[in-house]
Amino acid sequence: MTNFLDPARLAHFDADGMAKIDLARGEVLFLGLNCLEPGQSQRTHTHEGADKFYLVLSGKARITSGGESGEAGPGTLVWCPAGAPHGVEEALERSVILTGIAPAPR
């Protein structure tokens, strides 16, 4: 694995549901990609003891974090504090979303 990644080139999609790709996993940080076709979602969930972010690289999706919901497009960063419910309610366009979790899940 290289330390220089091009997430958009690593993206792939699955007609049956959101595709998840692990980009990097260290001792204290995990980075991944969520790739969604229009209408797909990621269930609302929490990470106890771990903060998370979503950074939309392409497309548009409705994302929820801590009871707040909104549309996020390219360049939008959504912060999810530890323990806050979060998820992708619905991809409104084909979307590639970079995710980060710290500390990394074990």
Side-chain angles (χ1 to χ4, degrees), residues 31-105:
L31 292 177
L33 281 182
N34 292 352
C35 304
L36 303 101
E37 294 284 9
Q40 292 179 340
S41 62
Q42 176 194 44
R43 67 171 178 75
T44 301
H45 61 286
T46 61
H47 298 281
E48 295 303 324
D51 294 326
K52 180 176 184 175
F53 69 82
Y54 294 102
L55 175 61
V56 179
L57 300 179
S58 64
K60 186 188 298 182
R62 192 169 28 260
I63 298 175
T64 186
S65 175
E68 187 178 350
S69 179
E71 286 187 13
T76 302
L77 178 69
V78 180
W79 175 250
C80 310
H86 59 275
V88 179
E89 291 179 39
E90 180 182 11
L92 304 172
E93 301 173 0
R94 181 179 249 203
S95 301
V96 178
I97 303 172
L98 177 69
T99 64
I101 302 174

